[in-house]
Amino acid sequence: MDERDIRSYTYEEVQLALAGMGEKPFRAKQLYQWMHEKLATGFEEMTNLPGSLRDRLAERFTYTSLDMVERMVSELDGTEKYLFRLSDGNVIESVLMRYHHGNSVCISSQAGCRMGCRFCASTLGGLTRNLLPSEMLGQIYQIQRLSGERVSNLVVMGTGEPLDNYENLLRFLRLLTDEHGLHISQRNVTVSTCGIVENIRRLADEKMQITLALSLHASSQEKRKELMPIAYKYELKDVLDACRYYFAQTGRRITFEYSLVAGVNDTAKDAAELGALISGINCHVNLIPVNPIKERSYSQPDRSAVEAFKNKLEKYRINVTIRREMGRDIGGACGQLRKSYIEEQRKETGV
Ligand code: SAH
């Protein structure tokens, strides 16, 4: 982690840092409140701290706050897509979804991604860098400020592979669910991974109450390799064993994500193989009709094929939902807003 990045410090670390600066304990509490409850965008907003302390803090630390570049609001369901600029000029995207059970935010965990999933727009330009804990938090904080509404649920399903940025992710999850901060319930947090086996196991050992979503997308090792290069590194059997271990350690039911691609993984045979593969696992399957991207020729199965796939899986006593498409009118698949922005910038600057 970056020692200067005060907004990634835990409450205990802020206490230590301020004690080291000769400040009384209540100052640490005030500072932490400004950063994680009142969601200040800079030291200058912290009006109950003496000006001299604010100056010393600004000399010693950096303060992460994201700049909004673009905000698109769906007229269909109120979904909002945000593009944020980081302090080094990189851009990332996040989404606010409104459900009857509350507001859910989908955040990015990296700028870009190096996992290479064939149908995904976020990975086309490769990985630029990992996001800091404060930059993951910053997406939620800015959305809460800009929308004026409380965020109660979080999914780490935006650009990036969260378990490829493990230390920062874990620190972020601790800060987010800390009683001194936004205090989002661990049960309302989902982390989605393409299946980095050793880090699924590490996360399981933390015994947090967060939901693990595993991007499966295929019912055999061979087919998974066609869609997800990470399958060359990990055997499907080992990925599923790690999921079983996650359930054993945390008691949290696993979510399997399965993007349905017409003619690739959507047949009755695929559904039957999938059912047999996961039938013993305490799980839930989320079917996602693939969101086509222009760089690839993948397309969605028609509605009846999606329903048939669901019915077949249910015969294996598996709980299945079909993901509702949110914000269709402000659309595009995950990662496309960021990508088109970067392409525009390149055109304008000629680099
Ligand atoms: N790297 C993580 C989280 C990012 S993507 C992961 O792999 O899980 C969140 C989910 O959306 C993943 O299941 C991913 O495979 C899926 N996804 C990405 N692009 C998609 C697309 N164009 N259509 C349908 N699902 C997609």
Side-chain angles (χ1 to χ4, degrees):
M1 96 167 229
D2 176 355
E3 296 288 325
R4 285 177 57 81
D5 178 23
I6 187 77
R7 236 179 169 187
S8 290
Y9 278 40
T10 62
Y11 187 52
E12 291 70 28
E13 289 165 347
V14 171
Q15 285 177 317
L16 276 175
L18 263 70
M21 290 167 74
E23 294 294 329
K24 299 225 167 64
F26 77 97
R27 293 292 182 206
K29 188 164 186 188
Q30 287 176 321
L31 173 58
Y32 200 88
Q33 261 175 354
W34 278 113
M35 293 196 291
H36 302 288
E37 271 180 47
K38 300 184 193 169
L39 312 186
T41 55
F43 295 119
E44 65 286 352
E45 279 183 29
M46 304 180 182
T47 43
N48 62 357
L49 299 186
S52 59
L53 175 56
R54 280 186 265 151
D55 291 344
R56 284 163 64 220
L57 288 169
E59 267 166 38
R60 188 161 166 171
F61 298 107
T62 53
Y63 195 89
T64 300
S65 176
L66 310 188
D67 291 332
M68 192 187 77
V69 181
E70 204 172 324
R71 176 185 189 179
M72 294 163 80
V73 184
S74 164
E75 287 174 14
L76 297 176
D77 53 30
T79 296
E80 299 188 9
K81 279 202 171 191
Y82 291 86
L83 194 68
F84 293 117
R85 187 180 298 106
L86 308 175
S87 58
D88 62 358
N90 272 302
V91 290
I92 53 171
E93 68 181 88
S94 329
V95 186
L96 167 67
M97 291 160 290
R98 296 189 161 87
Y99 294 105
H100 56 267
H101 62 264
N103 288 334
S104 184
V105 165
C106 173
I107 65 151
S108 297
S109 55
Q110 297 178 314
C113 182
R114 59 183 180 137
M115 296 298 129
C117 297
R118 299 285 301 156
F119 45 78
C120 180
S122 295
T123 200
L124 291 169
L127 175 67
T128 307
R129 72 166 172 87
N130 282 330
L131 297 190
L132 298 167
S134 59
E135 291 168 332
M136 291 186 243
L137 284 172
Q139 298 169 60
I140 305 158
Y141 291 177
Q142 276 298 42
I143 288 178
Q144 192 156 303
R145 271 178 77 108
L146 294 163
S147 68
E149 291 174 36
R150 181 166 161 76
V151 172
S152 54
N153 292 262
L154 172 82
V155 293
V156 188
M157 286 193 186
T159 299
E161 169 48 50
L163 298 190
D164 187 37
N165 184 14
Y166 185 81
E167 304 293 343
N168 286 341
L169 176 84
L170 198 62
R171 180 174 275 272
F172 155 74
L173 292 173
R174 295 214 179 290
L175 291 166
L176 181 75
T177 56
D178 188 291
E179 58 175 340
H180 299 288
L182 277 195
H183 200 185
I184 291 185
S185 161
Q186 289 184 1
R187 291 173 171 271
N188 294 349
V189 176
T190 298
V191 172
S192 178
T193 177
C194 62
I196 299 186
V197 169
E198 60 273 16
N199 287 347
I200 293 177
R201 289 179 172 271
R202 277 167 86 189
L203 190 62
D205 288 336
E206 295 292 333
K207 295 191 193 303
M208 294 175 101
Q209 283 298 295
I210 60 181
T211 299
L212 183 75
L214 192 283
S215 298
L216 197 53
H217 305 323
S219 53
S220 71
Q221 174 68 3
E222 281 315 304
K223 209 167 243 189
R224 202 161 184 260
K225 278 183 184 166
E226 284 173 29
L227 292 171
M228 306 174 72
I230 192 73
Y232 284 92
K233 187 155 181 206
Y234 302 105
E235 286 292 325
L236 186 50
K237 181 188 160 302
D238 296 334
V239 175
L240 295 178
D241 277 349
C243 291
R244 289 187 186 92
Y245 183 72
Y246 190 88
F247 177 75
Q249 291 294 81
T250 64
R252 301 291 293 163
R253 189 173 74 159
I254 303 292
T255 296
F256 288 114
E257 293 163 280
Y258 193 99
S259 296
L260 281 164
V261 187
V264 175
N265 63 0
D266 66 336
T267 63
K269 185 164 169 282
D270 290 309
E273 275 179 18
L274 178 62
L277 187 69
I278 61 175
S279 66
I281 303 179
N282 198 326
C283 70
H284 162 253
V285 173
N286 199 3
L287 297 175
I288 318 167
V290 76
N291 212 332
I293 57 173
K294 66 176 190 303
E295 292 79 1
R296 307 265 189 256
S297 57
Y298 294 133
S299 61
Q300 289 186 359
D302 60 35
R303 189 75 201 175
S304 62
V306 176
E307 290 291 343
F309 197 95
K310 176 171 185 274
N311 293 341
K312 186 89 185 173
L313 259 187
E314 283 172 341
K315 297 222 162 60
Y316 290 80
R317 299 180 156 276
I318 293 167
N319 196 308
V320 190
T321 49
I322 300 172
R323 182 178 298 172
R324 189 154 66 96
E325 204 182 337
M326 304 286 283
R328 195 195 311 250
D329 53 331
I330 52 171
C334 316
Q336 288 197 328
L337 182 58
R338 169 174 184 270
K339 196 167 162 295
S340 53
Y341 178 83
I342 293 172
E343 283 167 1
E344 279 305 308
Q345 294 291 99
R346 290 220 172 103
K347 263 187 234 153
E348 277 169 28
T349 55
V351 285

